Amino acid sequence: MITGKFPKLRLRRLRKDENIRKMVRENHLSVNDLIYPLFIVEGENVKEEIKSMPGQYRYSIDKVIEEVKEVKELGIPAIILFGIPEKKDDIGSDSFSDDGIIQRSIKAIKESVPEMYVITDVCFCEYTSHGHCGYLKCSEKSCDVDNDRTLELLKKQVVSHAKAGADMVAPSGMMDGMIKAIRKGLDKADFTEIPIMSYAAKYTSAYYGPFRDAAESTPSFGDRRSYQMDPANVNEALREVALDIEEGADIVMVKPALSYMDVIKAVKETFKYPTAAYNVSGEYSMIKAAAMNDWIDEKRVVIETLLSMKRAGADIILTYFAKDVAKWIG
Ligand code: PBG
Ligand code: ZN
């Protein structure tokens, strides 16, 4: 492509003026790309700040409605909901109860802000007393998540979300066969139009630390290595994504985002599918902490970071910065 025949080539010419910089800009960050995560707890009039995530809160249902109205006014098209029930048990039954925290939240939000696109995180770790992402089977020596039993419970969970009015479901538990089971469950209950955003390539990551604080979902023993991916692998991510697409995923996600830009790029280039990146809690908190110390320019760092995810190939970004970005680039 480059022949070296044009010694007068000056790339800087197109950088001199904002008008021309805008015209040759290759990637854009827009509010339309953003999904805002929200944490919902039991109670009334609750808006408590999450210590490890300054500027992020746990809301009771009445309070989250005010927040969703604000999110809508800022032009953010979608939210993703995480429910934190008061009572947890070993199978996470609140997660599929028609009267569960998340089901009541969806109904209340859809009633007051019907135009908001409501996505639900589908998993068990916030709902189980042991904090693992599925049904646990224990032998005398050890416990592990029972993949196939979890699939049955996942079907119940997504159908209850859809019945409550969810627009899209986002399973995050990394169970094998999870997309197929969920698609089947939804279709059988006549929710054939509800799309699935799969957390297809989800790594075992220390970047989830602040989230686990927020959602009280730290496993009470062990870790999630037996179902989440090894941070050393990228080909495996492509296999995970391929399977999920074959099973019926409409959107595939890479999570975390910042340390996995190569994975985002590989997924986008290989499958050319709608691709989401989760700018996770640890990525948020690192920037926040530095900004609060005046060590970095928060606005510029956030926009640069999210833009780099777009450049890597993300169409959609789940981010706790969504409201800030909407205000900045509105
Ligand atoms: C699990 C879930 C997690 C996140 C989203 N869904 C945590 C985990 O797998 O431990 C992490 C999000 C974040 O760190 O911002 N249902
Ligand atoms: Zn989980």
Side-chain angles (χ1 to χ4, degrees):
M1 192 167 110
I2 294 176
T3 62
K5 271 194 293 195
F6 306 108
K8 287 272 161 55
L9 186 65
R10 289 283 184 275
L11 294 172
R12 290 169 52 202
R13 284 178 193 131
L14 297 182
R15 296 175 194 148
K16 301 266 175 208
D17 178 277
E18 176 61 10
N19 290 302
I20 194 64
R21 278 199 299 274
K22 273 190 200 161
M23 294 176 90
V24 298
R25 190 161 287 148
E26 297 171 42
N27 292 282
H28 301 269
L29 179 65
S30 146
V31 275
N32 298 327
D33 306 327
L34 307 177
I35 298 175
Y36 190 51
L38 286 166
F39 300 99
I40 307 172
V41 292
E42 294 288 0
E44 254 172 69
N45 207 21
V46 182
K47 179 179 175 181
E48 45 175 5
E49 192 166 38
I50 299 160
K51 254 204 215 107
S52 52
M53 299 174 74
Q56 300 302 311
Y57 301 83
R58 292 196 199 95
Y59 300 91
S60 53
I61 295 178
D62 54 327
K63 281 287 184 184
V64 87
I65 286 171
E66 290 171 27
E67 182 68 8
V68 175
K69 284 183 181 153
E70 209 182 306
V71 172
K72 186 71 223 167
E73 266 152 38
L74 285 167
I76 297 163
I79 52 176
I80 182 163
L81 304 181
F82 295 93
I84 308 156
E86 220 155 50
K87 278 186 249 105
K88 309 192 181 207
D89 58 26
D90 54 331
I91 62 167
S93 41
D94 192 89
S95 72
F96 49 82
S97 153
D98 286 338
D99 199 31
I101 177 89
I102 207 74
Q103 290 78 2
R104 280 178 286 127
S105 306
I106 302 165
K107 277 183 213 148
I109 290 169
K110 276 291 174 186
E111 244 164 57
S112 356
V113 199
E115 327 79 66
M116 179 55 79
Y117 195 80
V118 177
I119 306 167
T120 57
D121 183 84
V122 173
C123 203
F124 288 100
C125 48
E126 299 98 351
Y127 298 88
T128 49
S129 38
H130 46 73
H132 279 282
C133 299
Y135 182 82
L136 270 196
K137 196 164 63 183
C138 297
S139 68
E140 262 162 38
K141 280 199 198 115
S142 65
C143 295
D144 197 7
V145 172
D146 179 341
N147 194 87
D148 295 358
R149 181 76 215 283
T150 301
L151 296 183
E152 289 312 306
L153 295 173
L154 275 172
K155 279 190 201 169
K156 288 174 103 168
Q157 192 180 141
V158 288
V159 170
S160 76
H161 290 184
K163 274 205 319 218
D167 294 297
M168 175 155 91
V169 294
S172 64
M174 290 292 279
M175 296 300 128
D176 282 328
M178 130 185 127
I179 302 305
K180 187 173 165 208
I182 285 173
R183 185 71 269 160
K184 247 185 160 166
L186 286 171
D187 290 351
K188 203 170 152 216
D190 225 13
F191 293 112
T192 53
E193 302 302 310
I194 302 250
I196 302 172
M197 174 164 69
S198 176
Y199 286 65
K202 180 175 179 183
Y203 287 86
T204 308
S205 173
Y207 283 97
Y208 308 148
F211 173 97
R212 291 185 185 173
D213 249 18
E216 300 165 357
S217 62
T218 309
S220 58
F221 63 89
D223 53 39
R224 303 202 208 291
R225 265 170 243 255
S226 71
Y227 40 101
Q228 296 183 350
M229 284 186 50
D230 181 342
N233 298 350
V234 60
N235 293 330
E236 187 189 3
L238 297 179
R239 294 199 293 274
E240 283 282 0
V241 170
L243 261 175
D244 281 4
I245 289 175
E246 270 172 34
E247 290 182 18
D250 300 279
I251 300 173
V252 289
M253 192 200 296
V254 174
K255 176 183 169 201
L258 198 50
S259 303
Y260 298 86
M261 297 288 199
D262 57 323
V263 182
I264 298 173
K265 188 167 167 107
V267 166
K268 186 63 185 182
E269 286 186 348
T270 308
F271 301 100
K272 312 227 182 298
Y273 240 64
T275 304
Y278 201 138
N279 175 219
V280 300
S281 56
E283 300 170 22
Y284 173 84
S285 301
M286 288 194 306
I287 291 181
K288 273 286 172 197
M292 285 164 80
N293 275 297
D294 272 329
W295 292 339
I296 55 169
D297 178 334
E298 180 175 10
K299 176 178 166 183
R300 291 186 55 204
V301 169
V302 169
I303 290 178
E304 188 176 333
T305 305
L306 300 189
L307 194 53
S308 68
M309 294 168 193
K310 295 286 311 261
R311 205 177 60 233
D315 304 290
I316 298 170
I317 303 172
L318 294 88
T319 180
Y320 304 100
F321 287 116
K323 282 176 69 188
D324 299 319
V325 172
K327 287 175 197 158
W328 292 329
I329 67 174

